Amino acid sequence: MSEKLLEMINEQMNFELQSAYEYKAMQIYADDEEFEGFAHWFGHQVMEEIEHAEKMTKFLQEVGFKPVYKAMEAPNTEFTDLLDVTKKALDHEKEVTRRIHEIAKAAREEGDERVISFIQWFVDEQVEEEDTFGKLITRLERINGNYGGLYILDGQLAHRG
Ligand SMILES: [Fe+2]
């Protein structure tokens, strides 16, 4: 197992935590705007990203690599509305997908079966993540800023468990 591959996973582990940080800022924004359902939903997203980082930490430890935590960037806190938040979330997920695919490609090039198998879960997970945000964007575009629609959607998002 190459050092380069392990460092890429370590880098991604840090980026998953960065993702949690970005979603935390989105949660705070939704909460400030009194959209409790969106805030709950983004709070759930924060926990998922921490779990992703934990999966990578565990894998690195299992193969004998000491995980290294790096400084995080301050998350974006500039949002115009919920559609803007969701579009920025999708952009972020696309960047995550790009990085995951780079790891998968490097693992295949090195013929590293353990990393190929490990990273496949994340490849699949990213399909789901992008689809989830894509659907939310479609719904918000249809609602088109109408408060009645926004509150119905907010009520539905409150039930994410
Ligand atoms: Fe993630």
Short mmCIF file of all heavy atoms in Angstrom, two decimals, residues 87-149:
data_model
loop_
_atom_site.label_atom_id
_atom_site.label_comp_id
_atom_site.label_asym_id
_atom_site.label_seq_id
_atom_site.Cartn_x
_atom_site.Cartn_y
_atom_site.Cartn_z
N LYS A 87 -27.67 25.09 -3.55
CA LYS A 87 -26.78 25.04 -4.74
C LYS A 87 -25.32 24.97 -4.31
O LYS A 87 -24.52 24.26 -4.92
CB LYS A 87 -27.02 26.27 -5.62
CG LYS A 87 -28.27 26.15 -6.47
CD LYS A 87 -28.43 27.34 -7.39
CE LYS A 87 -29.58 27.10 -8.37
NZ LYS A 87 -29.89 28.33 -9.14
N LYS A 88 -24.97 25.70 -3.26
CA LYS A 88 -23.59 25.66 -2.76
C LYS A 88 -23.28 24.28 -2.17
O LYS A 88 -22.16 23.78 -2.29
CB LYS A 88 -23.35 26.77 -1.75
CG LYS A 88 -23.16 28.10 -2.46
CD LYS A 88 -22.98 29.28 -1.56
CE LYS A 88 -22.64 30.51 -2.42
NZ LYS A 88 -23.19 31.75 -1.93
N ALA A 89 -24.28 23.67 -1.55
CA ALA A 89 -24.10 22.31 -1.00
C ALA A 89 -23.85 21.33 -2.14
O ALA A 89 -22.95 20.47 -2.05
CB ALA A 89 -25.32 21.91 -0.19
N LEU A 90 -24.61 21.45 -3.23
CA LEU A 90 -24.41 20.55 -4.37
C LEU A 90 -23.02 20.76 -4.99
O LEU A 90 -22.33 19.78 -5.31
CB LEU A 90 -25.50 20.73 -5.43
CG LEU A 90 -25.36 19.85 -6.68
CD1 LEU A 90 -25.39 18.35 -6.33
CD2 LEU A 90 -26.45 20.16 -7.70
N ASP A 91 -22.62 22.01 -5.14
CA ASP A 91 -21.27 22.30 -5.66
C ASP A 91 -20.20 21.64 -4.79
O ASP A 91 -19.23 21.08 -5.29
CB ASP A 91 -21.00 23.82 -5.68
CG ASP A 91 -21.73 24.50 -6.84
OD1 ASP A 91 -22.20 23.79 -7.74
OD2 ASP A 91 -21.82 25.75 -6.81
N HIS A 92 -20.42 21.72 -3.48
CA HIS A 92 -19.46 21.11 -2.56
C HIS A 92 -19.42 19.59 -2.76
O HIS A 92 -18.34 18.99 -2.81
CB HIS A 92 -19.81 21.46 -1.11
CG HIS A 92 -18.79 20.97 -0.14
ND1 HIS A 92 -17.61 21.64 0.09
CD2 HIS A 92 -18.74 19.85 0.60
CE1 HIS A 92 -16.89 20.94 0.95
NE2 HIS A 92 -17.55 19.86 1.28
N GLU A 93 -20.59 18.98 -2.88
CA GLU A 93 -20.65 17.53 -3.07
C GLU A 93 -19.97 17.10 -4.38
O GLU A 93 -19.36 16.04 -4.45
CB GLU A 93 -22.09 17.02 -3.02
CG GLU A 93 -22.69 16.99 -1.63
CD GLU A 93 -21.89 16.12 -0.63
OE1 GLU A 93 -21.24 15.15 -1.06
OE2 GLU A 93 -21.90 16.44 0.56
N LYS A 94 -20.11 17.95 -5.42
CA LYS A 94 -19.45 17.62 -6.70
C LYS A 94 -17.93 17.63 -6.53
O LYS A 94 -17.23 16.81 -7.14
CB LYS A 94 -19.88 18.61 -7.78
CG LYS A 94 -21.29 18.31 -8.28
CD LYS A 94 -21.70 19.23 -9.41
CE LYS A 94 -23.07 18.80 -9.95
NZ LYS A 94 -23.62 19.79 -10.89
N GLU A 95 -17.44 18.54 -5.71
CA GLU A 95 -16.00 18.59 -5.44
C GLU A 95 -15.58 17.33 -4.65
O GLU A 95 -14.52 16.75 -4.92
CB GLU A 95 -15.65 19.88 -4.67
CG GLU A 95 -14.21 20.00 -4.21
CD GLU A 95 -13.17 19.94 -5.33
OE1 GLU A 95 -13.54 20.15 -6.50
OE2 GLU A 95 -11.99 19.66 -5.02
N VAL A 96 -16.42 16.93 -3.70
CA VAL A 96 -16.13 15.69 -2.94
C VAL A 96 -16.06 14.51 -3.91
O VAL A 96 -15.13 13.70 -3.87
CB VAL A 96 -17.20 15.43 -1.85
CG1 VAL A 96 -16.99 14.06 -1.20
CG2 VAL A 96 -17.18 16.53 -0.79
N THR A 97 -17.04 14.42 -4.81
CA THR A 97 -17.08 13.32 -5.79
C THR A 97 -15.80 13.31 -6.63
O THR A 97 -15.19 12.25 -6.82
CB THR A 97 -18.31 13.48 -6.72
OG1 THR A 97 -19.48 13.47 -5.92
CG2 THR A 97 -18.38 12.35 -7.74
N ARG A 98 -15.40 14.50 -7.08
CA ARG A 98 -14.19 14.59 -7.91
C ARG A 98 -12.98 14.03 -7.15
O ARG A 98 -12.19 13.25 -7.69
CB ARG A 98 -13.94 16.06 -8.28
CG ARG A 98 -12.90 16.29 -9.38
CD ARG A 98 -12.58 17.76 -9.55
NE ARG A 98 -11.92 18.34 -8.38
CZ ARG A 98 -10.65 18.13 -8.03
NH1 ARG A 98 -9.89 17.34 -8.76
NH2 ARG A 98 -10.14 18.70 -6.95
N ARG A 99 -12.89 14.38 -5.88
CA ARG A 99 -11.75 13.92 -5.06
C ARG A 99 -11.81 12.42 -4.80
O ARG A 99 -10.78 11.73 -4.83
CB ARG A 99 -11.72 14.68 -3.74
CG ARG A 99 -11.32 16.14 -3.91
CD ARG A 99 -11.54 16.93 -2.64
NE ARG A 99 -11.24 18.34 -2.83
CZ ARG A 99 -10.34 19.02 -2.12
NH1 ARG A 99 -9.66 18.42 -1.16
NH2 ARG A 99 -10.11 20.29 -2.34
N ILE A 100 -13.02 11.91 -4.54
CA ILE A 100 -13.19 10.47 -4.31
C ILE A 100 -12.79 9.68 -5.57
O ILE A 100 -12.11 8.65 -5.49
CB ILE A 100 -14.66 10.15 -3.92
CG1 ILE A 100 -15.04 10.79 -2.58
CG2 ILE A 100 -14.95 8.65 -3.94
CD1 ILE A 100 -14.51 10.12 -1.34
N HIS A 101 -13.21 10.20 -6.72
CA HIS A 101 -12.88 9.53 -7.98
C HIS A 101 -11.38 9.52 -8.24
O HIS A 101 -10.84 8.57 -8.80
CB HIS A 101 -13.63 10.18 -9.15
CG HIS A 101 -15.09 9.85 -9.15
ND1 HIS A 101 -15.95 10.23 -10.16
CD2 HIS A 101 -15.86 9.19 -8.24
CE1 HIS A 101 -17.18 9.81 -9.87
NE2 HIS A 101 -17.15 9.19 -8.71
N GLU A 102 -10.69 10.58 -7.80
CA GLU A 102 -9.23 10.63 -7.95
C GLU A 102 -8.57 9.53 -7.11
O GLU A 102 -7.61 8.90 -7.55
CB GLU A 102 -8.69 11.99 -7.49
CG GLU A 102 -8.52 12.96 -8.63
CD GLU A 102 -7.92 14.28 -8.20
OE1 GLU A 102 -7.20 14.32 -7.18
OE2 GLU A 102 -8.20 15.28 -8.88
N ILE A 103 -9.11 9.31 -5.93
CA ILE A 103 -8.57 8.24 -5.07
C ILE A 103 -8.82 6.88 -5.73
O ILE A 103 -7.93 6.03 -5.79
CB ILE A 103 -9.18 8.29 -3.65
CG1 ILE A 103 -8.80 9.60 -2.95
CG2 ILE A 103 -8.71 7.08 -2.81
CD1 ILE A 103 -9.52 9.85 -1.62
N ALA A 104 -10.05 6.71 -6.23
CA ALA A 104 -10.41 5.43 -6.88
C ALA A 104 -9.49 5.17 -8.08
O ALA A 104 -9.02 4.04 -8.28
CB ALA A 104 -11.88 5.47 -7.32
N LYS A 105 -9.23 6.22 -8.85
CA LYS A 105 -8.38 6.10 -10.04
C LYS A 105 -6.94 5.72 -9.63
O LYS A 105 -6.36 4.80 -10.21
CB LYS A 105 -8.38 7.44 -10.79
CG LYS A 105 -7.67 7.44 -12.12
CD LYS A 105 -8.04 8.70 -12.91
CE LYS A 105 -7.21 8.86 -14.16
NZ LYS A 105 -6.00 9.69 -13.93
N ALA A 106 -6.43 6.41 -8.62
CA ALA A 106 -5.06 6.12 -8.15
C ALA A 106 -4.97 4.69 -7.62
O ALA A 106 -3.97 4.00 -7.85
CB ALA A 106 -4.66 7.12 -7.07
N ALA A 107 -6.02 4.25 -6.92
CA ALA A 107 -6.03 2.88 -6.36
C ALA A 107 -6.00 1.84 -7.49
O ALA A 107 -5.31 0.83 -7.40
CB ALA A 107 -7.25 2.69 -5.48
N ARG A 108 -6.77 2.12 -8.54
CA ARG A 108 -6.79 1.18 -9.68
C ARG A 108 -5.44 1.15 -10.38
O ARG A 108 -4.95 0.08 -10.75
CB ARG A 108 -7.89 1.58 -10.68
CG ARG A 108 -9.28 1.07 -10.32
CD ARG A 108 -10.20 1.10 -11.52
NE ARG A 108 -10.18 2.38 -12.21
CZ ARG A 108 -10.92 3.44 -11.85
NH1 ARG A 108 -11.73 3.36 -10.82
NH2 ARG A 108 -10.83 4.56 -12.53
N GLU A 109 -4.85 2.34 -10.54
CA GLU A 109 -3.54 2.42 -11.20
C GLU A 109 -2.49 1.64 -10.43
O GLU A 109 -1.60 1.05 -11.02
CB GLU A 109 -3.11 3.89 -11.34
CG GLU A 109 -3.76 4.57 -12.55
CD GLU A 109 -3.61 6.09 -12.55
OE1 GLU A 109 -2.91 6.64 -11.68
OE2 GLU A 109 -4.21 6.72 -13.43
N GLU A 110 -2.62 1.64 -9.10
CA GLU A 110 -1.64 0.91 -8.27
C GLU A 110 -2.05 -0.54 -8.05
O GLU A 110 -1.31 -1.30 -7.43
CB GLU A 110 -1.46 1.64 -6.93
CG GLU A 110 -0.81 3.00 -7.11
CD GLU A 110 -0.42 3.64 -5.78
OE1 GLU A 110 -0.30 2.90 -4.79
OE2 GLU A 110 -0.25 4.86 -5.76
N GLY A 111 -3.26 -0.87 -8.52
CA GLY A 111 -3.75 -2.24 -8.32
C GLY A 111 -3.93 -2.58 -6.86
O GLY A 111 -3.73 -3.73 -6.44
N ASP A 112 -4.29 -1.56 -6.05
CA ASP A 112 -4.45 -1.77 -4.61
C ASP A 112 -5.88 -2.21 -4.29
O ASP A 112 -6.78 -1.38 -4.16
CB ASP A 112 -4.10 -0.48 -3.86
CG ASP A 112 -3.99 -0.70 -2.37
OD1 ASP A 112 -4.84 -1.44 -1.81
OD2 ASP A 112 -3.06 -0.16 -1.76
N GLU A 113 -6.07 -3.51 -4.18
CA GLU A 113 -7.42 -4.08 -4.00
C GLU A 113 -8.11 -3.59 -2.73
O GLU A 113 -9.32 -3.40 -2.71
CB GLU A 113 -7.35 -5.62 -3.96
CG GLU A 113 -6.90 -6.25 -5.27
CD GLU A 113 -7.80 -5.91 -6.46
OE1 GLU A 113 -9.02 -5.70 -6.25
OE2 GLU A 113 -7.28 -5.84 -7.58
N ARG A 114 -7.36 -3.37 -1.67
CA ARG A 114 -7.98 -2.94 -0.41
C ARG A 114 -8.57 -1.53 -0.52
O ARG A 114 -9.67 -1.27 -0.06
CB ARG A 114 -6.96 -3.01 0.74
CG ARG A 114 -6.66 -4.44 1.13
CD ARG A 114 -5.72 -4.49 2.30
NE ARG A 114 -4.38 -4.02 1.90
CZ ARG A 114 -3.34 -3.95 2.74
NH1 ARG A 114 -3.48 -4.30 4.00
NH2 ARG A 114 -2.17 -3.55 2.32
N VAL A 115 -7.80 -0.64 -1.17
CA VAL A 115 -8.30 0.74 -1.34
C VAL A 115 -9.43 0.76 -2.38
O VAL A 115 -10.42 1.47 -2.21
CB VAL A 115 -7.17 1.73 -1.69
CG1 VAL A 115 -7.73 3.12 -1.93
CG2 VAL A 115 -6.14 1.78 -0.57
N ILE A 116 -9.31 -0.02 -3.43
CA ILE A 116 -10.37 -0.09 -4.45
C ILE A 116 -11.68 -0.49 -3.78
O ILE A 116 -12.72 0.14 -3.98
CB ILE A 116 -10.01 -1.12 -5.57
CG1 ILE A 116 -8.83 -0.61 -6.41
CG2 ILE A 116 -11.23 -1.40 -6.47
CD1 ILE A 116 -8.24 -1.65 -7.36
N SER A 117 -11.62 -1.51 -2.94
CA SER A 117 -12.82 -1.99 -2.24
C SER A 117 -13.34 -0.95 -1.25
O SER A 117 -14.53 -0.66 -1.19
CB SER A 117 -12.48 -3.30 -1.53
OG SER A 117 -13.56 -3.68 -0.72
N PHE A 118 -12.42 -0.37 -0.48
CA PHE A 118 -12.81 0.61 0.54
C PHE A 118 -13.48 1.84 -0.06
O PHE A 118 -14.51 2.32 0.42
CB PHE A 118 -11.57 1.03 1.35
CG PHE A 118 -11.82 2.17 2.30
CD1 PHE A 118 -12.59 1.97 3.43
CD2 PHE A 118 -11.32 3.43 2.03
CE1 PHE A 118 -12.83 3.04 4.31
CE2 PHE A 118 -11.56 4.50 2.90
CZ PHE A 118 -12.33 4.30 4.04
N ILE A 119 -12.90 2.36 -1.13
CA ILE A 119 -13.36 3.64 -1.69
C ILE A 119 -14.68 3.48 -2.47
O ILE A 119 -15.40 4.46 -2.68
CB ILE A 119 -12.25 4.31 -2.55
CG1 ILE A 119 -12.38 5.84 -2.53
CG2 ILE A 119 -12.21 3.77 -3.95
CD1 ILE A 119 -12.11 6.52 -1.21
N GLN A 120 -15.00 2.24 -2.85
CA GLN A 120 -16.23 2.02 -3.63
C GLN A 120 -17.48 2.47 -2.87
O GLN A 120 -18.40 3.03 -3.45
CB GLN A 120 -16.35 0.52 -4.01
CG GLN A 120 -17.48 0.23 -4.99
CD GLN A 120 -17.35 1.01 -6.30
OE1 GLN A 120 -16.26 1.08 -6.87
NE2 GLN A 120 -18.43 1.60 -6.76
N TRP A 121 -17.48 2.28 -1.55
CA TRP A 121 -18.63 2.71 -0.73
C TRP A 121 -18.85 4.22 -0.89
O TRP A 121 -19.98 4.70 -1.01
CB TRP A 121 -18.37 2.37 0.75
CG TRP A 121 -19.55 2.71 1.62
CD1 TRP A 121 -20.60 1.88 1.92
CD2 TRP A 121 -19.81 3.97 2.28
NE1 TRP A 121 -21.50 2.56 2.72
CE2 TRP A 121 -21.04 3.82 2.96
CE3 TRP A 121 -19.12 5.18 2.35
CZ2 TRP A 121 -21.61 4.86 3.71
CZ3 TRP A 121 -19.68 6.21 3.09
CH2 TRP A 121 -20.92 6.05 3.77
N PHE A 122 -17.74 4.96 -0.94
CA PHE A 122 -17.84 6.43 -1.07
C PHE A 122 -18.27 6.84 -2.48
O PHE A 122 -18.98 7.83 -2.64
CB PHE A 122 -16.49 7.08 -0.70
CG PHE A 122 -16.18 7.00 0.77
CD1 PHE A 122 -15.45 5.93 1.29
CD2 PHE A 122 -16.64 7.96 1.65
CE1 PHE A 122 -15.19 5.83 2.64
CE2 PHE A 122 -16.37 7.88 3.01
CZ PHE A 122 -15.65 6.81 3.50
N VAL A 123 -17.82 6.08 -3.48
CA VAL A 123 -18.26 6.36 -4.87
C VAL A 123 -19.78 6.25 -4.93
O VAL A 123 -20.46 7.13 -5.45
CB VAL A 123 -17.59 5.37 -5.86
CG1 VAL A 123 -18.19 5.52 -7.26
CG2 VAL A 123 -16.07 5.57 -5.90
N ASP A 124 -20.33 5.18 -4.34
CA ASP A 124 -21.78 4.95 -4.33
C ASP A 124 -22.50 6.01 -3.51
O ASP A 124 -23.55 6.51 -3.90
CB ASP A 124 -22.11 3.56 -3.77
CG ASP A 124 -21.54 2.45 -4.63
OD1 ASP A 124 -21.24 2.71 -5.81
OD2 ASP A 124 -21.37 1.32 -4.12
N GLU A 125 -21.93 6.33 -2.37
CA GLU A 125 -22.53 7.33 -1.47
C GLU A 125 -22.66 8.69 -2.17
O GLU A 125 -23.65 9.39 -2.00
CB GLU A 125 -21.65 7.45 -0.20
CG GLU A 125 -22.08 8.53 0.79
CD GLU A 125 -23.34 8.19 1.57
OE1 GLU A 125 -23.84 7.06 1.45
OE2 GLU A 125 -23.82 9.10 2.29
N GLN A 126 -21.66 9.03 -2.98
CA GLN A 126 -21.69 10.34 -3.67
C GLN A 126 -22.82 10.42 -4.69
O GLN A 126 -23.36 11.50 -4.93
CB GLN A 126 -20.34 10.64 -4.32
CG GLN A 126 -19.26 11.09 -3.35
CD GLN A 126 -19.74 12.18 -2.40
OE1 GLN A 126 -19.86 11.97 -1.21
NE2 GLN A 126 -20.06 13.36 -2.91
N VAL A 127 -23.18 9.29 -5.30
CA VAL A 127 -24.31 9.28 -6.24
C VAL A 127 -25.55 9.72 -5.48
O VAL A 127 -26.31 10.58 -5.93
CB VAL A 127 -24.52 7.87 -6.84
CG1 VAL A 127 -25.78 7.82 -7.70
CG2 VAL A 127 -23.30 7.44 -7.66
N GLU A 128 -25.74 9.16 -4.29
CA GLU A 128 -26.89 9.47 -3.44
C GLU A 128 -26.86 10.93 -2.98
O GLU A 128 -27.88 11.63 -3.02
CB GLU A 128 -26.85 8.52 -2.24
CG GLU A 128 -28.17 8.41 -1.50
CD GLU A 128 -28.02 7.53 -0.26
OE1 GLU A 128 -27.61 6.37 -0.41
OE2 GLU A 128 -28.28 8.03 0.84
N GLU A 129 -25.68 11.38 -2.55
CA GLU A 129 -25.55 12.77 -2.05
C GLU A 129 -25.92 13.79 -3.12
O GLU A 129 -26.68 14.73 -2.87
CB GLU A 129 -24.12 13.04 -1.57
CG GLU A 129 -23.66 12.21 -0.39
CD GLU A 129 -24.14 12.74 0.95
OE1 GLU A 129 -25.26 13.26 1.01
OE2 GLU A 129 -23.38 12.62 1.93
N GLU A 130 -25.38 13.60 -4.31
CA GLU A 130 -25.65 14.56 -5.39
C GLU A 130 -27.12 14.51 -5.79
O GLU A 130 -27.73 15.55 -6.08
CB GLU A 130 -24.76 14.29 -6.61
CG GLU A 130 -23.32 14.72 -6.37
CD GLU A 130 -22.48 14.69 -7.63
OE1 GLU A 130 -23.04 14.82 -8.75
OE2 GLU A 130 -21.25 14.53 -7.51
N ASP A 131 -27.70 13.32 -5.80
CA ASP A 131 -29.12 13.17 -6.14
C ASP A 131 -30.00 13.87 -5.10
O ASP A 131 -30.96 14.57 -5.46
CB ASP A 131 -29.46 11.67 -6.21
CG ASP A 131 -30.92 11.45 -6.59
OD1 ASP A 131 -31.35 12.02 -7.61
OD2 ASP A 131 -31.63 10.73 -5.86
N THR A 132 -29.67 13.72 -3.83
CA THR A 132 -30.44 14.33 -2.75
C THR A 132 -30.47 15.85 -2.90
O THR A 132 -31.53 16.48 -2.85
CB THR A 132 -29.81 13.97 -1.38
OG1 THR A 132 -29.79 12.54 -1.28
CG2 THR A 132 -30.61 14.54 -0.23
N PHE A 133 -29.29 16.45 -3.09
CA PHE A 133 -29.24 17.92 -3.22
C PHE A 133 -29.87 18.38 -4.54
O PHE A 133 -30.51 19.43 -4.58
CB PHE A 133 -27.80 18.42 -3.09
CG PHE A 133 -27.34 18.46 -1.66
CD1 PHE A 133 -26.32 17.64 -1.20
CD2 PHE A 133 -27.94 19.33 -0.76
CE1 PHE A 133 -25.91 17.65 0.12
CE2 PHE A 133 -27.53 19.36 0.57
CZ PHE A 133 -26.52 18.52 1.02
N GLY A 134 -29.69 17.59 -5.59
CA GLY A 134 -30.30 17.92 -6.88
C GLY A 134 -31.82 18.00 -6.77
O GLY A 134 -32.45 18.93 -7.29
N LYS A 135 -32.40 17.03 -6.06
CA LYS A 135 -33.86 16.99 -5.88
C LYS A 135 -34.34 18.19 -5.06
O LYS A 135 -35.39 18.78 -5.34
CB LYS A 135 -34.28 15.70 -5.18
CG LYS A 135 -34.35 14.52 -6.14
CD LYS A 135 -34.73 13.25 -5.39
CE LYS A 135 -34.86 12.08 -6.35
NZ LYS A 135 -34.69 10.80 -5.67
N LEU A 136 -33.57 18.53 -4.04
CA LEU A 136 -33.92 19.66 -3.17
C LEU A 136 -33.89 20.97 -3.98
O LEU A 136 -34.77 21.83 -3.83
CB LEU A 136 -32.92 19.71 -2.00
CG LEU A 136 -33.37 20.31 -0.67
CD1 LEU A 136 -34.73 19.79 -0.25
CD2 LEU A 136 -32.32 20.03 0.40
N ILE A 137 -32.90 21.09 -4.85
CA ILE A 137 -32.80 22.29 -5.72
C ILE A 137 -34.03 22.38 -6.62
O ILE A 137 -34.65 23.44 -6.75
CB ILE A 137 -31.49 22.27 -6.54
CG1 ILE A 137 -30.29 22.53 -5.62
CG2 ILE A 137 -31.52 23.29 -7.68
CD1 ILE A 137 -28.93 22.30 -6.25
N THR A 138 -34.41 21.26 -7.23
CA THR A 138 -35.59 21.23 -8.11
C THR A 138 -36.83 21.70 -7.37
O THR A 138 -37.60 22.53 -7.86
CB THR A 138 -35.82 19.79 -8.64
OG1 THR A 138 -34.65 19.37 -9.33
CG2 THR A 138 -37.03 19.73 -9.58
N ARG A 139 -37.01 21.19 -6.15
CA ARG A 139 -38.19 21.56 -5.36
C ARG A 139 -38.16 23.05 -4.99
O ARG A 139 -39.18 23.74 -5.07
CB ARG A 139 -38.29 20.67 -4.12
CG ARG A 139 -38.54 19.20 -4.49
CD ARG A 139 -38.53 18.31 -3.29
NE ARG A 139 -39.76 18.43 -2.52
CZ ARG A 139 -39.98 17.83 -1.36
NH1 ARG A 139 -39.05 17.06 -0.84
NH2 ARG A 139 -41.11 17.98 -0.73
N LEU A 140 -36.99 23.53 -4.60
CA LEU A 140 -36.87 24.95 -4.24
C LEU A 140 -37.08 25.86 -5.44
O LEU A 140 -37.64 26.95 -5.32
CB LEU A 140 -35.50 25.21 -3.60
CG LEU A 140 -35.38 24.75 -2.15
CD1 LEU A 140 -33.93 24.70 -1.70
CD2 LEU A 140 -36.17 25.65 -1.20
N GLU A 141 -36.64 25.41 -6.61
CA GLU A 141 -36.86 26.21 -7.83
C GLU A 141 -38.35 26.29 -8.15
O GLU A 141 -38.85 27.33 -8.57
CB GLU A 141 -36.06 25.63 -9.00
CG GLU A 141 -34.60 26.07 -8.94
CD GLU A 141 -33.68 25.41 -9.97
OE1 GLU A 141 -34.10 24.39 -10.57
OE2 GLU A 141 -32.56 25.89 -10.14
N ARG A 142 -39.07 25.18 -7.95
CA ARG A 142 -40.51 25.17 -8.20
C ARG A 142 -41.24 26.07 -7.20
O ARG A 142 -42.20 26.76 -7.55
CB ARG A 142 -41.06 23.75 -8.10
CG ARG A 142 -40.71 22.92 -9.31
CD ARG A 142 -41.20 21.49 -9.13
NE ARG A 142 -40.76 20.66 -10.23
CZ ARG A 142 -40.62 19.34 -10.15
NH1 ARG A 142 -40.90 18.70 -9.03
NH2 ARG A 142 -40.22 18.65 -11.19
N ILE A 143 -40.78 26.05 -5.97
CA ILE A 143 -41.39 26.86 -4.90
C ILE A 143 -41.17 28.35 -5.19
O ILE A 143 -42.04 29.18 -4.90
CB ILE A 143 -40.82 26.44 -3.52
CG1 ILE A 143 -41.39 25.08 -3.12
CG2 ILE A 143 -41.13 27.49 -2.46
CD1 ILE A 143 -40.68 24.42 -1.94
N ASN A 144 -40.01 28.64 -5.81
CA ASN A 144 -39.72 29.99 -6.30
C ASN A 144 -39.92 31.10 -5.25
O ASN A 144 -40.52 32.13 -5.53
CB ASN A 144 -40.58 30.24 -7.56
CG ASN A 144 -40.08 31.43 -8.36
OD1 ASN A 144 -38.91 31.83 -8.22
ND2 ASN A 144 -40.96 32.03 -9.15
N GLY A 145 -39.46 30.82 -4.04
CA GLY A 145 -39.50 31.84 -2.99
C GLY A 145 -40.85 32.02 -2.31
O GLY A 145 -40.99 32.86 -1.42
N ASN A 146 -41.84 31.22 -2.70
CA ASN A 146 -43.18 31.32 -2.07
C ASN A 146 -43.13 30.77 -0.64
O ASN A 146 -42.77 29.61 -0.41
CB ASN A 146 -44.18 30.53 -2.93
CG ASN A 146 -45.54 30.45 -2.29
OD1 ASN A 146 -45.75 29.66 -1.38
ND2 ASN A 146 -46.47 31.27 -2.76
N TYR A 147 -43.49 31.60 0.32
CA TYR A 147 -43.35 31.18 1.72
C TYR A 147 -44.21 29.99 2.10
O TYR A 147 -43.81 29.15 2.89
CB TYR A 147 -43.59 32.38 2.66
CG TYR A 147 -42.32 33.16 2.87
CD1 TYR A 147 -42.12 34.37 2.21
CD2 TYR A 147 -41.31 32.66 3.68
CE1 TYR A 147 -40.93 35.08 2.37
CE2 TYR A 147 -40.11 33.36 3.85
CZ TYR A 147 -39.93 34.57 3.19
OH TYR A 147 -38.76 35.25 3.35
N GLY A 148 -45.42 29.91 1.50
CA GLY A 148 -46.28 28.75 1.78
C GLY A 148 -45.56 27.45 1.42
O GLY A 148 -45.50 26.51 2.21
N GLY A 149 -44.99 27.45 0.22
CA GLY A 149 -44.25 26.27 -0.25
C GLY A 149 -43.03 25.99 0.59
O GLY A 149 -42.74 24.83 0.94
#
